[in-house]
Amino acid sequence: MPQEKIDLVGPGIKVHSVVRHGGVMIHAEYVGPVACPQCSSEQLRTKDRFVRKLRHESIGTKNTWLYLTLRKYRCEDCRRYFRARVPGLLPYRRSTEMFRQEIFMDHRDGISQQQLHRTRRIGSATVERWFHDHLELKEKMFSSRLCPTVLGIDEHFFTKKQGYATTFCDLQKHRIFEVAKGRSEHSLHSALMRMKGRERVQVVCIDLSSSYRSLARKYFPNALIVSDRFHVVRTVIRHFLDTWKLLDPVGRKNRGLLSLMRRKSGNLHPDQQARLERYFEQNPAIGMVYKAKEELCELLNQKHRTQKDCRPLISRLLYWIDQLRNSPFEPLRTLGATLSSWRDEIARMWRFTRNNGITEGFHTKMELIQRRAYGFRNFSNYRLRVIVMCG
């Protein structure tokens, strides 16, 4: 029997014997230092001995039970009776903390409660209770964290009954900082006020949401707001496709043409480019709209630019905003008004490299957490799992 396996329970445990019979039974005794919990005196008198049967961390594939002999003491100074406290073993527990940690790790890695019930001989409700206890313990470790300097804010769907939730992501360290129910300022006020160090935030990355922009200005006063490039480009493409629908309602329903119009011209094969050119020869107005879409998306996709490089880009952006706002098509005028309202945040995209793609990736992981649990009704439980598993 490896002695170092027993030492992990805590210091001061002396092993007397190990019996293998359907599992592993370890008979041991605590011989470590003992002091009175009330007055810390070491003037003690032994009054009784008793044995605690405990589940311990598995050895290989074998379930392990620890029969630990402890003593009951009487303090000679304060006359108090007490039982010895063992490191790694909390009062009134029938298992060691190492065994509880083992169950938590197994369940976190995807082993179901029923499987743990069959192999570890513990109840499914016990697995859930221990798992929740460890989640709360780990969440307390994160509760004292300060706000990150680069923060991503985005929404994701929670349930049909409770609606959406808002994700606050640390874009520098690639981890979830906080999850709050709702997406309006009224529903997020209490969660934002609990965040420590909001003045530390230097950059806030959001999509084209006016509510999130006003929220960032109010609760993160020292932060610069940066638009997420993916959402800006997607908005541009959507409005140009709506313009195409006005010009050619029949061609807009062609799935093959729709796929080609959405792509970048540089990503098309020669035969696909030839097909688009033939279509544009028959519809020259749509060809002009497609060319304008490509030029605007190329402008918005500029990255890693210095302050000097951004000056001509800003002039081009203002030119496109003016052209769109004077367009005869309603979707393009709407796009021009949107870009004009967000021109400062869009211009900052060229300077900052961070975006909400990290947050969207965590949303995929959060969906997997929901599927594994077959959905959540209690948002607090959902938040605990997300903070621990994505933090």
Side-chain angles (χ1 to χ4, degrees):
M1 180 65 197
Q3 179 68 29
E4 60 273 10
K5 190 71 177 180
I6 310 302
D7 292 339
L8 294 177
V9 180
I13 294 181
K14 179 181 179 181
V15 178
H16 295 307
S17 63
V18 177
V19 180
R20 300 175 182 269
H21 181 70
V24 179
M25 276 71 75
I26 304 171
H27 297 269
E29 180 181 3
Y30 179 67
V31 294
V34 181
C36 177
Q38 182 173 351
C39 64
S40 302
S41 174
E42 296 183 357
Q43 301 297 325
L44 308 175
R45 180 181 177 184
T46 303
K47 300 297 293 183
D48 194 9
R49 291 174 181 264
F50 60 96
V51 178
R52 293 182 64 178
K53 181 181 178 181
L54 308 164
R55 283 299 303 272
H56 184 44
E57 185 182 17
S58 302
I59 300 178
T61 59
K62 298 293 185 179
N63 294 327
T64 305
W65 285 265
L66 178 63
Y67 293 85
L68 186 61
T69 302
L70 300 173
R71 298 184 182 186
K72 182 178 180 181
Y73 294 96
R74 176 176 180 268
C75 179
E76 296 295 335
D77 292 339
C78 63
R79 307 297 181 180
R80 177 181 177 178
Y81 289 86
F82 66 94
R83 297 182 177 184
R85 300 294 177 87
V86 182
L89 177 62
L90 297 180
Y92 308 107
R93 294 282 174 87
R94 298 183 181 180
S95 58
T96 62
E97 291 302 306
M98 293 194 61
F99 180 65
R100 294 164 64 91
Q101 181 71 16
E102 177 188 357
I103 297 300
F104 168 76
M105 299 290 288
D106 289 343
H107 190 44
R108 186 201 63 180
D109 294 340
I111 302 179
S112 65
Q113 297 177 5
Q114 289 296 324
Q115 184 67 20
L116 290 172
H117 164 68
R118 289 191 294 266
T119 58
R120 302 304 185 200
R121 300 184 186 179
I122 56 176
S124 300
T126 301
V127 176
E128 176 63 26
R129 187 174 66 254
W130 289 1
F131 187 78
H132 194 271
D133 291 343
H134 277 79
L135 288 179
E136 289 184 338
L137 181 62
K138 289 183 175 292
E139 193 273 337
K140 290 180 181 178
M141 299 169 57
F142 299 139
S143 60
S144 60
R145 291 186 301 183
L146 299 178
C147 287
T149 56
V150 183
L151 184 67
I153 304 177
D154 201 5
E155 63 182 15
H156 67 279
F157 182 74
F158 179 52
T159 62
K160 291 183 179 180
K161 184 176 181 180
Q162 303 189 46
Y164 285 83
T166 300
T167 306
F168 299 88
C169 181
D170 185 349
L171 299 182
Q172 272 192 326
K173 297 185 178 179
H174 292 213
R175 64 187 184 188
I176 295 297
F177 177 73
E178 183 59 88
V179 180
K181 185 166 62 175
R183 52 181 176 176
S184 63
E185 181 180 350
H186 175 73
S187 58
L188 297 175
H189 174 74
S190 58
L192 288 167
M193 294 303 294
R194 288 196 302 267
M195 294 183 183
K196 302 177 182 178
R198 286 184 282 114
E199 66 282 352
R200 299 178 66 250
V201 181
Q202 300 176 3
V203 178
V204 174
C205 186
I206 59 175
D207 55 10
L208 301 181
S209 171
S210 300
S211 60
Y212 282 156
R213 180 169 60 177
S214 61
L215 181 145
R217 289 173 177 173
K218 180 177 180 180
Y219 293 94
F220 305 103
N222 299 329
L224 294 176
I225 302 175
V226 181
S227 296
D228 181 52
R229 180 176 289 103
F230 168 78
H231 290 90
V232 175
V233 173
R234 187 178 65 173
T235 301
V236 170
I237 294 176
R238 184 177 72 249
H239 284 83
F240 272 99
L241 292 180
D242 292 342
T243 307
W244 177 32
K245 185 177 181 180
L246 293 177
L247 295 172
D248 187 9
V250 178
R252 174 65 173 79
K253 297 179 182 179
N254 189 315
R255 296 174 63 90
L257 281 176
L258 178 61
S259 175
L260 297 180
M261 291 287 285
R262 284 176 171 172
R263 302 184 193 179
K264 295 181 180 179
S265 58
N267 295 337
L268 297 176
H269 297 295
D271 55 338
Q272 294 173 335
Q273 292 179 353
R275 181 182 176 185
L276 267 184
E277 290 176 358
R278 290 194 300 268
Y279 178 71
F280 293 153
E281 290 177 358
Q282 301 174 1
N283 303 273
I286 299 177
M288 296 176 62
V289 171
Y290 178 80
K291 183 179 179 181
K293 185 261 294 184
E294 288 295 298
E295 292 180 3
L296 183 55
C297 289
E298 182 183 1
L299 173 64
L300 296 174
N301 280 319
Q302 299 292 325
K303 303 177 183 178
H304 309 286
R305 294 296 181 262
T306 63
Q307 184 177 0
K308 182 179 179 181
D309 295 337
C310 289
R311 292 174 183 172
L313 299 179
I314 293 174
S315 300
R316 291 174 56 190
L317 177 62
L318 294 177
Y319 166 78
W320 275 110
I321 290 175
D322 183 65
Q323 293 294 316
L324 292 172
R325 297 182 70 175
N326 296 323
S327 172
F329 303 106
E330 180 63 26
L332 296 184
R333 290 197 298 269
T334 303
L335 176 61
T338 301
L339 296 182
S340 177
S341 174
W342 288 84
R343 58 183 181 273
D344 295 336
E345 291 79 7
I346 292 175
R348 295 189 185 111
M349 294 190 313
W350 301 319
R351 294 279 289 137
F352 295 96
T353 59
R354 302 293 179 178
N355 57 67
N356 265 343
I358 300 170
T359 310
E360 297 292 349
F362 276 118
H363 285 171
T364 303
K365 186 174 182 179
M366 291 155 70
E367 289 177 2
L368 295 177
I369 294 174
Q370 285 186 303
R371 290 175 186 173
R372 181 181 293 181
Y374 295 95
F376 286 90
R377 296 182 180 179
N378 190 320
F379 182 79
S380 299
N381 293 339
Y382 171 71
R383 175 184 171 276
L384 276 177
R385 299 204 181 202
V386 169
I387 291 295
V388 174
M389 296 184 180
C390 302

